[in-house]
């Protein structure tokens, strides 16, 4: 194989490797992942004993589907058995499960990359991989147990079909994946499905009758699947995404606004610049010069405009639209750098483009290091089990997990010792507003909390979490920061999660 052919082949490994790096840096989970990460654990270790599932004790505000978790658990099961044979803890299963999900997401991204290579040339495909790796958010979340991640996989498969645009089969695939994901994982994907259908109709790639017949068929199959699986596990008849829609219905109570609201233009003024960084201006170049992918921008913008009417906004809600900008940015970067003409003007444009990508990589590295310090609960939970004496590991030790530790990395994957008992119920409050130390002392041996002190308990250690960025005070300090983290700034940490042991 020629050197250039080797380069193209290696380019398809860039995205999977970047996802693996993010996984290794931040293996623990946050609160928004709690349902699915606990469900993966329970499917692996409890099987059909649905009564032992964490969701039965902590169901959350609205029920979510188990389909994604069950699928990941099935694929992880062989790896889990190998981990057990090797004598590894359940934390190894968490790595394995996240690797499985990350592999599925990376395959969907690589599918888009291949479609871009086939449509626009291998140089554009390489640029797509480079731009995606230069963005922090998409690949950071690519192995995280969120409904948004499963929806992202489906939307990527739909995007790949749109980019290929080779006939009716691709039009059908574009609609199929979005319809199924809307019914099963994220009902808000209908906001992306609508502009996709409009673009297909405008381009005469399909007809209204075909869309209706396909949409009904795909929806019926998807709803039947999610109702069957989720009703069996939840113990009552339900369609999870319908309940989510009714809870967040913008024409009704729209209870999601209880978690905060943002200005209407937030996705355009904050989210896109933060998530896309250098890809954003390059996408405008690609839209201007590459007519074969020009129809992707109105789809992405239509989705973002529609979503902007909902007051509660988060970056992860609009992840499905970000690869659209990456495809456009890839065509722009390819034109400015790989297909540039030998003139001073084109050289200057190429230098600006490369600089924008380099700055994006720098920003992604800083964000990755900041996120690495954002899981004090997981670190405290891991350290607690590591410090346990041989005698304690065989005793029925009772551990209470407070709100902050549960939100910053604690999951059932971290439970190591078979006789230990874990509890996440809120502690009683005293008249002074502090956690009820007397009650805790009577029930628990260890308490993980955000409080530095508890009556009747001794603090064993504190796990530090992210508290900001600091400017190095000397060249030596800057050098140490670069050697330790790869960035010339200090990651400031402060104690956030405290582990207390009952006085003896």
């Amino acid at each position: 194989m020629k050197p250039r052919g080797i380069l193209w082949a290696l380019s398809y490994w860039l995205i999977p490797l970047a996802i693996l790096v993010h996984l290794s840096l931040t293996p623990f989970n946050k609160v928004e992942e709690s349902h699915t990460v606990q469900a993966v654990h329970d499917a692996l270790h409890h099987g059909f004993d649905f009564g032992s599932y964490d969701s039965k004790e902590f169901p959350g505000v609205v029920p979510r589907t188990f389909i994604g978790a069950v699928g990941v658990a099935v694929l992880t099961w062989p790896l889990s058995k190998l981990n057990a044979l090797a004598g590894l803890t359940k934390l190894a299963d968490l790595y394995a499960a996240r690797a499985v999900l990350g592999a599925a997401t990376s395959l969907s991204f690589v599918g888009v990359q291949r479609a871009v290579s086939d449509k626009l040339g291998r140089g554009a495909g390489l640029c797509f991989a480079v731009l995606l790796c230069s963005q922090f958010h998409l690949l950071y979340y690519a192995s995280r147990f969120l409904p948004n991640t499963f929806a992202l996989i489906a939307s990527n498969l739909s995007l790949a079909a749109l980019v290929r645009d080779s006939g009716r089969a691709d039009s059908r695939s574009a609609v199929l994946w979005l319809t199924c994901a809307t019914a099963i994982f994220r009902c808000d994907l209908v906001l992306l499905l609508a502009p996709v259908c409009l673009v297909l109709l405008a381009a005469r790639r399909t007809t209204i009758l075909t869309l209706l017949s396909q949409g009904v068929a795909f929806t019926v199959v998807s709803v039947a699947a999610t109702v069957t699986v989720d009703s069996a596990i939840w113990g009552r008849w339900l369609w999870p995404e319908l309940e989510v829609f009714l809870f967040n219905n913008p024409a009704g109570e729209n209870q999601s606004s209880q978690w905060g609201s943002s200005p209407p233009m937030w996705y355009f003024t904050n989210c896109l610049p933060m998530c896309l960084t250098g890809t954003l201006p390059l996408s405008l170049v690609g839209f201007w010069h590459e007519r074969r992918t020009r129809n992707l921008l109105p789809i992405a913008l239509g989705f973002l405009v529609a979503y902007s009417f909902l007051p509660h906004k988060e970056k992860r809600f609009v992840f499905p639209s970000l690869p659209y900008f990456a495809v456009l940015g890839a065509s722009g970067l390819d034109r400015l750098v790989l297909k540039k003409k030998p003139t001073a003007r084109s050289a200057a444009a190429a230098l600006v483009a490369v600089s924008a990508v380099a700055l994006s990589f720098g920003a992604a590295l800083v964000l990755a290091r900041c996120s690495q310090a954002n899981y004090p609960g997981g670190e405290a939970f891991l350290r607690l089990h590591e410090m346990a004496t041989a005698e304690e590991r065989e005793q029925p030790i009772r551990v209470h997990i407070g709100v902050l530790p549960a939100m910053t990395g604690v999951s059932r994957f971290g439970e190591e010792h078979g006789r230990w008992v874990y509890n996440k119920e809120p502690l009683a409050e005293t008249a002074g507003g502090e956690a009820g130390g007397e009650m805790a002392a009577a029930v628990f041996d260890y308490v993980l909390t955000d409080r530095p002190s508890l009556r009747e308990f001794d603090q064993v250690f504190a796990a530090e979490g992210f508290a900001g960025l600091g400017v190095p005070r000397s060249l030596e300090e800057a050098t140490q920061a670069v050697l330790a983290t790869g960035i010339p700034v200090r990651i400031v940490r402060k104690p956030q999660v405290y582990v207390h042991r009952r006085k003896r």
Side-chain angles (χ1 to χ4, degrees):
M1 184 181 291
K2 295 181 179 180
R4 179 165 291 190
I6 295 174
L7 175 63
W8 301 138
L10 290 177
S11 70
Y12 291 108
W13 289 95
L14 290 177
I15 296 172
L17 288 175
I19 292 174
L20 189 62
V21 169
H22 282 295
L23 190 164
S24 63
L25 288 176
T26 52
F28 300 114
N29 57 282
K30 278 290 185 72
V31 61
E32 59 266 24
E33 306 167 58
S34 59
H35 166 73
T36 306
V37 72
Q38 306 288 32
V40 172
H41 169 277
D42 295 339
L44 275 174
H45 295 279
H46 296 302
F48 292 99
D49 182 13
F50 302 143
S52 298
Y53 279 31
D54 182 84
S55 58
K56 293 302 180 72
E57 187 177 0
F58 302 99
V61 179
V62 288
R64 304 307 303 237
T65 183
F66 281 89
I67 286 184
V70 170
V72 171
V74 169
L75 295 174
T76 307
W77 183 82
L79 299 175
S80 177
K81 293 303 178 184
L82 291 176
N83 291 338
L85 288 174
L88 301 177
T89 66
K90 288 194 297 183
L91 190 60
D93 290 350
L94 176 60
Y95 278 92
R98 284 195 55 191
V100 166
L101 179 57
T105 312
S106 67
L107 285 174
S108 71
F109 278 128
V110 170
V112 178
Q113 183 183 351
R114 288 188 179 278
V116 171
S117 297
D118 294 341
K119 189 78 171 182
L120 307 178
R122 291 186 293 185
L126 172 62
C127 290
F128 174 81
V130 170
L131 287 182
L132 214 61
C133 292
S134 73
Q135 299 172 29
F136 167 75
H137 294 84
L138 277 181
L139 301 193
Y140 171 78
Y141 281 96
S143 66
R144 296 199 163 274
F145 294 113
L146 293 165
N148 311 82
T149 304
F150 294 100
L152 177 63
I153 294 173
S155 65
N156 283 342
L157 296 173
S158 174
L159 173 59
L162 286 173
V163 173
R164 284 194 303 268
D165 192 24
S166 59
R168 292 184 180 274
D170 282 330
S171 299
R172 183 170 59 250
S173 294
V175 175
L176 164 65
W177 291 112
L178 288 179
T179 304
C180 293
T182 298
I184 297 173
F185 297 114
R186 292 288 305 190
C187 59
D188 51 9
L189 268 186
V190 70
L191 301 178
L192 183 61
L193 176 62
V196 165
C197 290
L198 289 175
V199 165
L200 291 175
L201 287 170
R204 297 184 178 181
R205 298 297 185 187
T206 188
T207 64
I208 294 179
L209 183 60
T210 300
L211 282 176
L212 289 175
S213 61
Q214 290 177 350
V216 170
F218 299 154
T219 300
V220 168
V221 173
S222 301
V223 171
T226 184
V227 168
T228 300
V229 173
D230 294 311
S231 296
I233 298 177
W234 282 107
R236 63 182 178 90
W237 288 103
L238 82 163
W239 175 10
E241 280 309 294
L242 176 60
E243 297 202 13
V244 172
F245 173 77
L246 295 175
F247 183 84
N248 296 324
N249 180 14
E253 296 183 9
N254 190 19
Q255 297 186 55
S256 65
S257 59
Q258 297 175 13
W259 281 264
S261 59
S262 300
M265 295 298 293
W266 183 83
Y267 284 126
F268 296 94
T269 59
N270 183 293
C271 179
L272 288 185
M274 176 69 75
C275 292
L276 295 175
T277 54
T279 301
L280 185 57
L282 290 171
S283 67
L284 300 179
V285 176
F287 173 77
W288 182 261
H289 290 287
E290 183 51 76
R291 62 178 180 79
R292 289 173 292 180
T293 55
R294 198 167 286 169
N295 62 342
L296 298 182
L297 186 61
I299 294 175
L301 291 180
F303 174 69
L304 290 166
V305 169
Y307 225 130
S308 295
F309 285 96
L310 298 176
H312 180 58
K313 298 176 176 65
E314 293 187 36
K315 295 182 180 70
R316 59 190 173 95
F317 292 168
V318 296
F319 281 175
S321 68
L322 302 186
Y324 283 73
F325 290 97
V327 173
L328 292 166
S331 64
L333 183 62
D334 180 42
R335 181 178 182 87
L336 293 176
V337 177
L338 300 182
K339 294 180 180 177
K340 66 181 186 298
K341 298 178 181 179
T343 64
R345 183 177 178 181
S346 63
L351 179 61
V352 171
V354 171
S355 299
V357 175
L359 289 173
S360 297
F361 272 106
L365 180 57
V366 171
L367 289 173
R369 286 302 188 181
C370 293
S371 298
Q372 188 180 14
N374 254 334
Y375 299 86
E379 294 177 7
F381 205 48
L382 175 62
R383 187 174 167 188
L384 169 64
H385 290 84
E386 290 177 341
M387 61 166 279
T389 65
E391 182 182 0
E392 283 183 321
R393 298 182 184 194
E394 301 300 324
Q395 294 177 348
I397 299 295
R398 293 153 298 182
V399 180
H400 183 269
I401 301 162
V403 174
L404 182 62
M407 293 176 63
T408 58
V410 172
S411 74
R412 286 190 166 187
F413 281 107
E415 300 173 0
E416 294 185 18
H417 310 313
R419 299 192 64 191
W420 285 28
V421 179
Y422 304 87
N423 186 289
K424 293 189 293 185
E425 293 289 345
L427 291 175
E429 297 288 320
T430 65
E434 296 183 354
E438 294 178 356
M439 186 278 291
V443 179
F444 300 107
D445 300 291
Y446 286 97
V447 173
L448 280 73
T449 178
D450 60 346
R451 300 180 183 276
S453 62
L454 285 177
R455 292 195 304 271
E456 307 301 329
F457 279 80
D458 292 321
Q459 185 188 125
V460 182
F461 65 85
E464 296 182 333
F466 179 75
L469 293 173
V471 179
R473 292 182 287 269
S474 65
L475 179 60
E476 181 181 358
E477 191 172 287
T479 302
Q480 290 176 348
V482 171
L483 293 176
T485 63
I487 56 177
V489 293
R490 293 186 299 114
I491 304 296
V492 180
R493 295 171 178 256
K494 68 176 183 180
Q496 292 183 357
V497 173
Y498 303 86
V499 176
H500 302 281
R501 180 166 47 204
R502 185 176 55 180
K503 291 182 179 180
R504 313 208 174 179

